[in-house]
Amino acid sequence: MEQLKRTSYPEVAIVSLGCAKNQVDSENLAGILHRAGCTIVAEPSQAETVIVNTCGFIEAAIRESVEVILDLEERKERGEIQAIAVVGCLVNRYEDELREELPTVDYWARSEEWSMLCGALTKEASPAGENRQRLLPGYPWWTRYLKVADGCDNRCTYCTIPSIRGPLRSLPEKRIVDEAEQLVRCGARELCLVGQDIASYGKEQGPSRLAGLLEMLSSALPEDIWIRLLYLHPDNIPPHFWERLAALPQVLPYADIPVQHSHPAILQRMNRNPDTERLHALLRAPRDLDEGFALRTTTMVGFPGETEEMFDSLLATIAEIKFDNLGVFCFSPEEGTPAATFPDPVDRETAEERKERVLELQEAIALERSEAMVGAELDVLVEGYHREDGLLWGRSYRDAPEVDGSVVVAAPEDAVTPGERIPVVIEEALGYELRGRIREA
């Protein structure tokens, strides 16, 4: 990458696309550039240089990334910005093609190749010293994502992640704990642990060390900090995990466990454990300890070979487990994955119809699970205020940021500020939204 010829450090905007793991990468990059003298600004319109941290996971994410880059190219032609840098997963996957198709992009970097990018945007490589996440302008300071590992060894037949991000690489425990303490010192009230599969943490050296890592974090952090677990592959959750979790006050009774499917034939084709009895037992276990334990999952419909009978088994599992929150996607045949060449494809119309049936079933289940909260008192992390309605909104332990529901409370605007936690008595359930009142002292 050729260095920019300038007499001062550039003002940089970072557009972070895709998942929370990408957001952590963007924050790490922001920290490096800030230490090198760059000014990190909120909007591309305020910047000399715009960095797009791309997602290349599925076709829809690729389209979004390319559309953002094309828009920036138009801005550059109009003289609104001086330079464009494209980094991240899409570059990992399609660098040669992108360079050919997008010749006006100034700088390219694969995921975490920040030293080269820093050297191009400033007059030096990455500055010496320990890297620290830096909150991107406009993002909530009270909720931060903490990456514990990168890459993946699971080799699901539909997934591009191993080819994009490489094999599992767990970060050192001390580094994770130090980063967690630093984020809390900067004001974080909730830490969301992320990785392609955090259940596999430490498996390069043997059995999963996730439970031990959580115990270290709980010992190091104040008891009022929330720790939320995202992206636990069900095949890799260690024995007695839920019992160890229940003993840690900071770890929320919440887990995101993407099951994808529940019929053994489809799971086998996905290269996942086809033992559905084990899967059901794993999902029932945390509720046996705590009926209020919140489970989120992701399911996939329309996988090659999925018959109506197989789809019905997925519906039966959803009805039995009663997930609090659920995302559902139609199978996307991604280039380079084994599943893209599997026989017996399911037509798009059938897949979309199955998706709607999953959502309809889940809507009823979510309402049932929410109604069980009526009369309960929940701690709510306040995130915003709607002046026109006189309502503040936030999240309880049941709700991960951006993907789950919310708790809404009628209150004066000056009653609380974003980032505070308040006790709320739940009075009404509206599907994924709970309504309540602030408990009087």
Side-chain angles (χ1 to χ4, degrees):
M1 284 184 285
E2 184 182 349
Q3 266 193 318
L4 282 172
K5 295 179 175 64
R6 58 179 74 251
T7 57
S8 61
Y9 292 110
E11 293 183 329
V12 176
I14 300 177
V15 179
S16 191
L17 303 175
C19 65
K21 299 174 287 294
N22 248 21
Q23 185 172 326
V24 174
D25 288 349
S26 296
E27 291 181 355
N28 284 329
L29 175 56
I32 292 170
L33 292 174
H34 175 76
R35 286 174 44 236
C38 294
T39 300
I40 309 300
V41 299
E43 300 294 335
S45 60
Q46 303 169 321
E48 287 183 289
T49 301
V50 180
I51 300 172
V52 185
N53 190 5
T54 59
C55 179
F57 179 43
I58 58 176
E59 183 181 348
I62 293 170
R63 284 200 305 270
E64 180 189 24
S65 294
V66 172
E67 287 169 3
V68 169
I69 298 166
L70 292 174
D71 176 70
L72 291 173
E73 285 190 320
E74 292 179 2
R75 294 191 187 195
K76 183 183 175 187
E77 288 177 6
R78 295 194 298 266
E80 296 172 10
I81 57 177
Q82 293 186 25
I84 303 168
V86 177
V87 307
C89 291
L90 191 60
V91 183
N92 290 24
R93 189 173 180 187
Y94 291 121
E95 180 175 4
D96 292 342
E97 295 93 325
L98 290 168
R99 285 177 176 270
E100 184 175 342
E101 294 294 326
L102 301 167
T104 62
V105 172
D106 300 273
Y107 310 105
W108 302 90
R110 292 175 172 248
S111 299
E112 300 188 5
E113 287 185 350
W114 308 144
S115 179
M116 294 173 62
L117 184 62
C118 185
L121 295 181
T122 69
K123 297 180 179 179
E124 57 184 285
S126 296
E130 192 172 357
N131 291 340
R132 291 292 187 190
Q133 292 173 228
R134 181 172 180 82
L135 182 65
L136 299 179
Y139 283 76
W141 50 263
W142 51 86
T143 292
R144 303 295 296 274
Y145 293 98
L146 181 63
K147 187 189 288 190
V148 303
D150 211 340
C152 186
D153 290 341
N154 290 317
R155 300 299 188 271
C156 300
T157 57
Y158 54 83
C159 186
T160 59
I161 290 296
S163 63
I164 295 174
R165 303 294 295 213
L168 174 70
R169 303 178 306 283
S170 300
L171 300 178
E173 291 165 333
K174 184 180 185 305
R175 174 177 165 183
I176 295 168
V177 173
D178 288 348
E179 188 69 46
E181 291 178 320
Q182 173 68 17
L183 293 175
V184 169
R185 283 195 294 271
C186 291
R189 305 298 308 281
E190 174 184 35
L191 299 177
C192 298
L193 270 57
V194 296
Q196 273 71 37
D197 170 24
I198 68 170
S200 291
Y201 177 79
K203 288 189 75 173
E204 306 97 312
Q205 286 80 42
S208 169
R209 302 205 312 270
L210 178 60
L213 173 65
L214 292 171
E215 288 165 352
M216 290 179 66
L217 286 168
S218 291
S219 297
L221 300 176
E223 285 200 2
D224 64 346
I225 298 301
W226 283 359
I227 298 175
R228 188 180 299 276
L229 306 183
L230 302 180
Y231 319 128
L232 294 102
H233 191 300
D235 294 355
N236 298 320
I237 295 175
H240 311 296
F241 179 69
W242 305 120
E243 291 86 349
R244 293 178 71 176
L245 203 77
L248 306 176
Q250 297 96 329
V251 181
L252 297 176
Y254 176 103
D256 180 355
I257 306 174
V259 300
Q260 305 302 349
H261 215 280
S262 65
H263 192 279
I266 295 296
L267 290 171
Q268 188 110 38
R269 286 191 125 192
M270 290 179 167
N271 196 32
R272 295 166 76 95
N273 190 335
D275 186 346
T276 55
E277 288 188 10
R278 176 196 173 276
L279 177 63
H280 286 204
L282 172 76
L283 295 170
R284 287 194 297 265
R287 294 262 180 83
D288 289 341
L289 296 170
D290 178 359
E291 178 55 32
F293 196 101
L295 287 172
R296 154 169 275 278
T297 196
T298 305
T299 60
M300 183 184 296
V301 297
F303 194 81
E306 183 189 54
T307 65
E308 191 67 21
E309 177 188 359
M310 294 172 183
F311 173 68
D312 286 343
S313 78
L314 175 60
L315 292 179
T317 294
I318 295 170
E320 176 191 338
I321 301 302
K322 299 186 186 299
F323 297 98
D324 297 80
N325 293 283
L326 179 149
V328 56
F329 300 91
C330 295
F331 168 72
S332 174
E334 294 300 317
E335 181 182 8
T337 63
T341 63
F342 283 177
D344 305 319
V346 176
D347 66 85
R348 189 70 184 188
E349 183 179 355
T350 299
E352 291 288 352
E353 185 267 340
R354 289 175 180 173
K355 176 181 175 180
E356 291 306 311
R357 287 165 64 187
V358 169
L359 291 173
E360 182 179 0
L361 172 60
Q362 178 58 28
E363 186 175 354
I365 292 170
L367 177 59
E368 177 187 341
R369 292 288 296 170
S370 293
E371 285 176 338
M373 295 290 108
V374 173
E377 181 183 305
L378 299 178
D379 272 359
V380 173
L381 182 60
V382 177
E383 298 211 286
Y385 191 84
H386 299 289
R387 289 188 178 88
E388 59 276 15
D389 301 320
L391 299 173
L392 64 84
W393 62 276
R395 294 179 292 105
S396 74
Y397 78 90
R398 304 175 70 241
D399 310 304
E402 300 183 17
V403 294
D404 293 337
S406 60
V407 181
V408 177
V409 181
E413 186 174 1
D414 60 357
V416 290
T417 57
E420 283 189 66
R421 285 225 307 266
I422 57 173
V424 174
V425 178
I426 304 303
E427 299 178 316
E428 185 180 11
L430 302 172
Y432 294 101
E433 181 183 288
L434 296 175
R435 297 203 168 201
R437 58 178 170 81
I438 300 176
R439 187 202 67 199
E440 297 179 4

